[in-house]
Amino acid sequence: MKCYNIAIIKGDGIGFEIVNEAIKVLNAVCLNENFKLSYKEYLMGGCAYDITNNPLPNETVEGCKKSDAILFGAIGGEKWDSLERHLRPESGLLRLRKELGVYANLRPINVFDELLDVSTIKPEVLRGVDLLIVRELTGGIYFGQPRNKNTKKALNTMVYTKEEIKRVAIVAFDSAMRRRKKVCSIDKANVLEVSQLWRETVEEVAKNYSEVSLSHMYVDNAAMQLVYDPKQFDVMLTSNMFGDILSDEASMICGSIGLLPSASIGGKVGLFEPIHGSAPNIAGLGIANPIATIMSAAMMLRFSLGEESAALRVEKAIQKVLKDGYRTKDLANYGAKKICSTSEMGSIIAKNVAKI
Ligand code: NAD
């Protein structure tokens, strides 16, 4: 029987709680499929800093590189906010993404019919939304040099090379070929030179995809269009920061940020994580929604392990559980049959995995 090695990084805040539930579901999947998973846990973020004075210990980087895939929760918290930038939990995560070379971050946004009334947006605007944000992940303003800060002036730099834009654009166009064949590239080309290069390069890549229709949209308009008419989008291609912001906005289309998974690909090993942060305000309360992490585990089964039927099994189990009326607190509404804790939600999904 095949056995895959999975690196587990729980991180800070709710990371521990949500990743435990994803493991519970993965273990249930294995019992019904023809493969095994072996897990090894690594430190990253504030918890790693507390023990090793380093938010990304070398052991974590090496262990992740040797694994078949990485499942990650979230990092960060107020406790570490005053540290120097390179010691902060977020620096650990940015460095790991760079070390792994995972330059494309896929963020699917689908609305569950069962949750149409959870969102603050009207159901008729939301029904049938199915879009994919392809976010560039290892370049742009989060990594640009020079950068510095003193008490009177601070500086960050948005830098993209043509090659960085091209490779993530190819991921977006390839994704569109498997979907509705539409790419909307998001930029600020009316103001930023870096966006002008972005636009020119995307146009060049588009020439190799005659079946895909390409449009461009300024990021400020995209922020508005996303809540005005989200169904107009198929694949949205974005730079690092624009995608970070737009996908948090898009989470409200689904009803909760606790529902949105992501896959970071492009390197030898994929990194799978929910789009949300460590939610320190609810950490330890047992109310975090584990679905985004469980869906990230499903993406891991699909993209890194090639176990499509197992991925579908997890996704169908989530749908069934929501249909049956189970909700974590962030999704509680009049359609809820039972409000669950984080751990109860994981257990119900794991139980349903076997029945699919
Ligand atoms: P956040 O995503 O952690 O939380 C924003 C809001 O969403 C909070 O009200 C939180 O309670 C809620 N929320 C988030 N995940 C939830 C879930 N699974 N279920 C229910 N509710 C959920 O963002 P923030 O508050 O801006 O940041 C908190 C910390 O997380 C910061 O230190 C930040 O740097 C870090 N962060 C980490 C990542 C990551 O690890 N990838 C991403 C974003 C932010």
Side-chain angles (χ1 to χ4, degrees):
M1 193 185 278
K2 274 174 289 182
C3 180
Y4 301 107
N5 294 313
I6 309 299
I8 297 287
I9 302 176
K10 293 180 178 171
D12 308 315
I14 59 170
F16 180 85
E17 302 163 62
I18 54 179
V19 172
N20 280 349
E21 298 317 307
I23 293 175
K24 200 186 268 180
V25 173
L26 284 171
N27 286 339
V29 171
C30 288
L31 294 177
N32 296 277
E33 297 278 337
N34 203 22
F35 64 85
K36 282 202 265 185
L37 297 175
S38 158
Y39 310 102
K40 189 150 191 298
E41 219 175 295
Y42 296 97
L43 290 173
M44 181 171 76
C47 58
Y49 173 80
D50 286 348
I51 296 171
T52 67
N53 282 324
N54 182 352
L56 182 66
N58 286 341
E59 194 200 343
T60 300
V61 178
E62 293 314 313
C64 286
K65 283 185 176 169
K66 279 191 218 137
S67 69
D68 292 308
I70 306 151
L71 183 65
F72 162 53
I75 45 87
E78 219 176 309
K79 178 179 173 194
W80 304 284
D81 278 353
S82 55
L83 290 172
E84 277 181 70
R85 184 177 52 79
H86 71 285
L87 296 175
R88 289 184 51 148
E90 294 79 2
S91 291
L93 175 57
L94 292 181
R95 257 173 50 215
L96 179 66
R97 289 170 176 167
K98 197 83 171 173
E99 286 274 356
L100 295 169
V102 285
Y103 58 81
N105 183 226
L106 311 185
R107 300 187 158 194
I109 290 133
N110 297 92
V111 177
F112 291 100
D113 279 352
E114 296 74 22
L115 298 180
L116 280 172
D117 53 341
V118 175
S119 174
T120 49
I121 305 171
K122 292 190 179 91
E124 58 269 29
V125 176
L126 300 177
R127 191 172 283 109
V129 167
D130 172 16
L131 71 95
L132 175 71
I133 296 181
V134 177
R135 168 190 171 199
E136 200 290 325
L137 200 62
T138 53
I141 197 164
Y142 293 174
F143 291 93
Q145 296 292 342
R147 60 190 299 162
N148 61 51
K149 172 178 173 289
N150 60 38
T151 49
K152 295 220 171 91
K153 192 174 167 191
L155 171 77
N156 286 98
T157 318
M158 191 187 276
V159 186
Y160 269 116
T161 64
K162 200 172 179 73
E163 194 43 46
E164 284 174 322
I165 302 166
K166 192 174 161 192
R167 64 188 184 179
V168 71
I170 289 172
V171 173
F173 280 92
D174 283 344
S175 304
M177 284 299 287
R178 294 188 291 271
R179 298 171 48 93
R180 300 193 306 281
K181 300 190 170 68
K182 278 168 39 174
V183 170
C184 181
S185 174
I186 310 301
D187 63 39
K188 191 70 184 164
N190 51 342
V191 180
L192 301 174
E193 283 77 5
V194 72
S195 280
Q196 287 159 11
L197 182 68
W198 180 277
R199 199 175 271 222
E200 286 160 25
T201 309
V202 173
E203 297 262 0
E204 279 171 30
V205 172
K207 288 185 186 138
N208 297 323
Y209 296 85
S210 55
E211 287 176 59
V212 178
S213 80
L214 169 67
S215 59
H216 302 277
M217 196 178 275
Y218 297 135
V219 62
D220 37 359
N221 184 23
M224 187 263 280
Q225 294 291 338
L226 203 48
V227 285
Y228 173 67
D229 178 19
K231 270 181 274 198
Q232 70 183 284
F233 297 110
D234 178 16
V235 175
M236 296 177 90
L237 168 62
T238 78
S239 60
N240 202 341
M241 183 169 66
F242 294 165
D244 196 3
I245 298 168
L246 289 179
S247 52
D248 262 36
E249 184 190 355
S251 71
M252 278 300 106
I253 291 172
C254 303
S256 168
I257 198 164
L259 291 169
L260 258 64
S262 85
S264 301
I265 58 167
K268 205 167 140 263
V269 184
L271 172 66
F272 300 85
E273 54 172 308
I275 78 151
H276 59 72
S278 60
N281 57 333
I282 57 167
L285 300 181
I287 59 172
N289 189 342
I291 290 181
T293 315
I294 297 170
M295 283 179 32
S296 304
M299 291 184 88
M300 176 182 87
L301 292 168
R302 174 172 295 123
F303 286 103
S304 277
L305 310 185
E307 298 290 349
E308 178 64 24
S309 88
L312 280 172
R313 195 183 274 278
V314 174
E315 286 160 356
K316 284 185 184 160
I318 292 170
Q319 207 161 359
K320 169 83 169 54
V321 163
L322 292 174
K323 202 168 183 172
D324 289 347
Y326 293 97
R327 306 277 189 270
T328 39
K329 198 166 171 243
D330 53 317
L331 298 174
N333 63 3
Y334 59 85
K337 180 172 135 196
K338 186 174 183 303
I339 306 296
C340 319
S341 68
T342 309
S343 151
E344 283 166 339
M345 182 55 100
S347 299
I348 298 161
I349 295 171
K351 205 165 136 195
N352 273 273
V353 153
K355 295 187 198 157
I356 302 292

